[in-house]
Amino acid sequence: MTNETMITVQQTARPQGFPTPLLFDFVESPVPAPEPGTALVENLLWSVDPYHREAMDGDFLWSLNAPMEGRTLGRVLDSRDPALRPGDLVMHRKGWRTHSLVTHAEVRPVPDLGPGVPLAAHLSLLGGTGLSAYVGLTRIARLQPGEDLFVSAAAGGVGTAAGRFARLLGAGRLVGSAGSARKVAHLTERVGFDAAFDYHDGPVTELLAKAAPDGLDAVLDGVGGDHLEASIASLRAFGRIAWVGAVAQYHSLATPPPAPHNLFDVVEKSIRLEGFLVRDHMDAQEELYDFAVPHLRSGSLELDTTVVEGFEHIVTAFLGMLRGENIGKMLVARPGLDG
C-alpha cells in the first residue's frame, strides 16, 4: 500500500454458513482526486461489527463486487469543499477501504472532547457500539437504579459497554453471558459484572437462573435463540427486554433457531419485548457524550477494545470477531496510529 494506491475490500459471493476469506477480494486502484463538493479522506481506524455478517446475505447494504461499507474514522487529505479542510478528523460509513471520497453530508466531525478520550472511543464507547448499549439501557429497557440486569454476549463491544454503563447508571445485580472462561473472567474482574457464565457450560436457562436466582428486571439481548428464552424465564413481572441483535442465527438464516418455547410468558408476566436499531436513535448522540465523556476523562470509564493493526488484516479481524476472538469492540487500525 502506498500513498498513490487505494485498496477497497469487495465481497465476491454470498456465504453458505460461516464466511471464509475466499468471499472477499482486495482491489487496488489509484487514489482518486476529489471533485467539487467532495473531499479525500485517508482512513485510520475501521470498525468491524456483527451486523456486517447479516449484510453479507443480501443487497440491502452490501452489493457484490462493490466497495463495502462500515463505520470508519479518517483524516481529510485533500478537499474541494470549504466545509472540509485538510487535517480534519471525520467519521463516515464508507469504510473497508484505505481512502474514501466523501461529501460534507456523509461525514460527522470528530469532536475535540479533551484529554482522556482516545480516538478509539469514537468507534467504541462513543460510537454506534456504545450508542446501541446506551439506547438499549436508557430508552428501551429503561433501567432504573437498583434494578437487576442480564446482558447477553456481554464480552463483545455492545456487551462490555452495556456493563460499564449499567454500573454508572446504578444497576443492582449485573449478570452476563460469554463464550469462554477468559471472557467470563474479564467481565467479573474488569468490567464490573457480579456474575457471568460461559454459555457452553450447559442450558442457558439453567445457567442464568443460577446466576440470577432472585430474577431480573431488565435484559439487553444481542443473541436471541436460547438466550432470549432464558431471559423470558428469569424476568420478573413487568420486566423489559431490549433486543439489539440475533447472533444465534447469523450463520444459519436458512434454518434459524426456533422461537422461545416460553414465548407466552411474555403475556403472563406482562413483559415488554422491544427490538431496536440504533440508526433510529441518532438524536441520543449528544446525550451519550454528556453521560460518558466526564467518566472517560476521570478514568472511571475504560475502553474494552481488541485492536488489529493493518488494513490488510481487516477480513481476518472481521472473521475473528464472528468467531468471538475479541474482548470488547473489535477495531482495525493503521499501524502507528496514536490515540
Side-chain angles (χ1 to χ4, degrees):
M1 183 174 64
T2 69
N3 290 334
E4 293 77 34
T5 302
M6 176 175 73
I7 302 175
T8 65
V9 181
Q10 301 183 12
Q11 183 183 337
T12 58
R14 299 299 178 198
Q16 301 295 322
F18 195 90
T20 72
L22 297 177
L23 299 175
F24 302 89
D25 192 17
F26 286 75
V27 179
E28 294 189 9
S29 61
V31 172
E35 300 176 349
T38 69
L40 175 66
V41 174
E42 177 187 34
N43 295 321
L44 306 174
L45 195 63
W46 298 265
S47 173
V48 291
D49 297 289
Y51 82 87
H52 290 152
R53 171 61 187 89
E54 189 176 13
M56 293 184 71
D57 291 309
D59 290 329
F60 74 98
L61 191 58
W62 283 355
S63 298
L64 295 180
N65 303 304
M68 293 153 59
E69 77 93 56
R71 299 185 182 101
T72 306
L73 185 152
R75 179 179 289 109
V76 175
L77 289 181
D78 191 9
S79 177
R80 296 190 65 185
D81 182 340
L84 296 171
R85 299 169 299 176
D88 286 351
L89 289 173
V90 296
M91 290 176 285
H92 61 88
R93 300 190 71 93
K94 290 187 173 182
W96 290 72
R97 63 201 89 179
T98 57
H99 301 76
S100 303
L101 280 179
V102 299
T103 66
H104 178 65
E106 292 173 327
V107 304
R108 184 161 60 88
V110 176
D112 182 3
L113 300 175
V117 183
L119 287 180
H122 296 284
L123 289 182
S124 55
L125 279 179
L126 301 179
T129 298
L131 192 60
S132 294
Y134 182 78
V135 167
L137 293 178
T138 62
R139 292 190 173 186
I140 311 301
R142 300 177 188 175
L143 184 69
Q144 300 300 308
E147 290 190 324
D148 300 324
L149 173 73
F150 170 56
V151 180
S152 67
V158 173
T160 50
R164 293 191 184 277
F165 290 168
R167 272 287 161 254
L168 295 173
L169 291 166
R173 186 166 178 80
L174 185 56
V175 178
S177 69
S180 71
R182 179 175 72 103
K183 292 182 176 182
V184 166
H186 181 81
L187 293 176
T188 56
E189 296 171 8
R190 298 291 302 276
V191 182
F193 281 77
D194 295 293
F197 59 85
D198 182 344
Y199 60 81
H200 296 105
D201 288 345
V204 177
T205 296
E206 296 178 8
L207 294 170
L208 180 55
K210 182 178 179 180
D214 297 324
L216 299 163
D217 299 293
V219 172
L220 182 67
D221 182 30
V223 178
D226 55 357
H227 281 69
L228 181 57
E229 183 168 311
S231 299
I232 294 170
S234 284
L235 277 168
R236 304 178 182 119
F238 302 102
R240 293 90 62 201
I241 303 173
W243 197 6
V244 69
V247 174
Q249 69 181 59
Y250 282 167
H251 310 304
S252 57
L253 294 181
T255 56
H261 294 90
N262 57 351
L263 194 57
F264 192 70
D265 285 357
V266 172
V267 177
E268 291 189 331
K269 294 200 283 186
S270 299
I271 292 169
R272 183 166 59 82
L273 168 60
E274 182 176 349
F276 70 99
L277 295 172
V278 71
R279 70 187 183 201
D280 297 323
H281 296 272
M282 298 308 295
D283 61 307
Q285 185 67 59
E286 292 299 323
E287 186 180 328
L288 173 60
Y289 285 157
D290 292 341
F291 170 76
V293 169
H295 294 291
L296 282 169
R297 290 173 177 161
S298 71
S300 60
L301 180 58
E302 299 180 17
L303 298 188
D304 298 276
T305 58
T306 298
V307 180
V308 175
E309 285 201 353
F311 178 78
E312 66 272 21
H313 301 302
I314 191 169
V315 171
T316 300
F318 171 56
L319 299 181
M321 180 273 300
L322 293 180
R323 286 190 290 265
E325 295 173 359
N326 57 298
I327 288 182
K329 183 75 188 72
M330 178 71 92
L331 297 172
V332 178
R334 187 175 287 264
L337 180 65
D338 185 18

